[in-house]
Amino acid sequence: MKKNSINREFIVAAIFTIILIFTSIYDFIARDGEKLFRLGLTFITVVLAYLLYKKSFLKGSRIIYYINIIFIFLSMYLASVWNFYSIPNYDKFLHLLSGAVIAIIGYVLFLYLTNNNSRKEIHPLTSVIFVIIFATAAAGAWEIWEFTTDSLFGLTAQNNSLVDTMWDIICGTVVGIITAIPIYIHSKGRKIKIIDMIIEDIEKNRR
């Protein structure tokens, strides 16, 4: 991987951190620190996203890194810090988007666990089934996380509603299934640029 590429990803994380610092100062002065806890969680999540990009099976996958940063900005910064959750259906929009993000991460994990030669011998549906199961499991795991944080910290991410929880899981799962369609088409031999770019990143970092 080129050094300049690593620097760009670090710069993105640094800019996000600076935004969080200035927001924290504003929150402390104007809102008596009402959102400082959420701002701290957002910072920790940005750091984890960067470490995953550097150290985990997501290593070197720039597309996934940028997608994750955008999702953190939309969900943790705009939604939780600036109360975008008050916008009708914003929560459902995030869960629909998360289904695509999780499915893509699941596909990256599949690529990491296989190689180009083995994928040629695997049935095209294998990657699709893996991605769908991964997306469904991750959507359920996220709701477990929300339930845990609501219970421990008195938050209201699940709105104390089983219906809200189930719709969130359905949104993530359905979009995960939809995202698996181009993955299946690609596994059948069709060229899809973004998938080719993801595979290129993964293969590059095997060397």
Side-chain angles (χ1 to χ4, degrees):
M1 189 193 313
K2 295 180 181 179
K3 187 176 180 181
N4 289 337
S5 176
I6 298 176
N7 289 339
R8 282 197 295 270
E9 276 67 75
F10 179 79
I11 289 171
V12 168
I15 291 172
F16 202 154
T17 300
I18 292 170
I19 292 172
L20 292 175
I21 291 172
F22 279 103
T23 305
S24 297
I25 294 171
Y26 167 81
D27 185 72
F28 182 77
I29 295 172
R31 298 187 294 197
D32 296 323
E34 176 188 347
K35 300 292 185 177
L36 288 179
F37 178 73
R38 293 181 183 275
L39 284 161
L41 286 179
T42 305
F43 170 71
I44 292 171
T45 306
V46 171
V47 172
L48 289 175
Y50 184 72
L51 291 177
L52 285 172
Y53 168 74
K54 293 278 288 180
K55 303 294 184 181
S56 74
F57 68 91
L58 296 175
K59 181 179 180 181
S61 185
R62 294 166 296 172
I63 295 172
I64 302 301
Y65 175 75
Y66 289 128
I67 288 174
N68 283 339
I69 290 295
I70 292 170
F71 187 76
I72 293 168
F73 182 81
L74 292 174
S75 61
M76 299 191 73
Y77 184 72
L78 293 183
S80 296
V81 175
W82 293 108
N83 299 319
F84 272 43
Y85 276 135
S86 62
I87 299 174
N89 298 316
Y90 189 79
D91 176 62
K92 292 298 174 283
F93 160 73
L94 288 179
H95 280 280
L96 289 169
L97 181 60
S98 72
V101 173
I102 292 168
I104 294 172
I105 291 175
Y107 186 57
V108 171
L109 177 59
F110 175 80
L111 294 174
Y112 177 79
L113 295 174
T114 59
N115 57 50
N116 190 47
N117 290 329
S118 65
R119 285 194 293 273
K120 291 178 181 178
E121 300 175 359
I122 295 175
H123 193 285
L125 281 175
T126 304
S127 60
V128 174
I129 294 171
F130 184 92
V131 166
I132 291 174
I133 292 175
F134 185 89
T136 304
W142 179 254
E143 292 304 315
I144 292 173
W145 169 254
E146 285 192 341
F147 174 79
T148 302
T149 54
D150 283 1
S151 301
L152 292 177
F153 303 113
L155 304 177
T156 56
Q158 292 187 316
N159 296 319
N160 295 315
S161 169
L162 176 62
V163 173
D164 180 76
T165 299
M166 292 309 300
W167 272 113
D168 288 347
I169 293 175
I170 290 170
C171 286
T173 301
V174 169
V175 176
I177 293 171
I178 294 172
T179 306
I181 294 174
I183 291 173
Y184 175 73
I185 294 172
H186 184 273
S187 67
K188 293 283 286 184
R190 293 280 297 276
K191 292 290 183 181
I192 298 178
K193 186 173 182 180
I194 189 170
I195 296 179
D196 287 334
M197 290 172 64
I198 291 172
I199 293 175
E200 182 183 350
D201 275 346
I202 295 297
E203 296 297 336
K204 187 190 306 178
N205 286 283
R206 286 183 187 274
R207 300 166 190 166

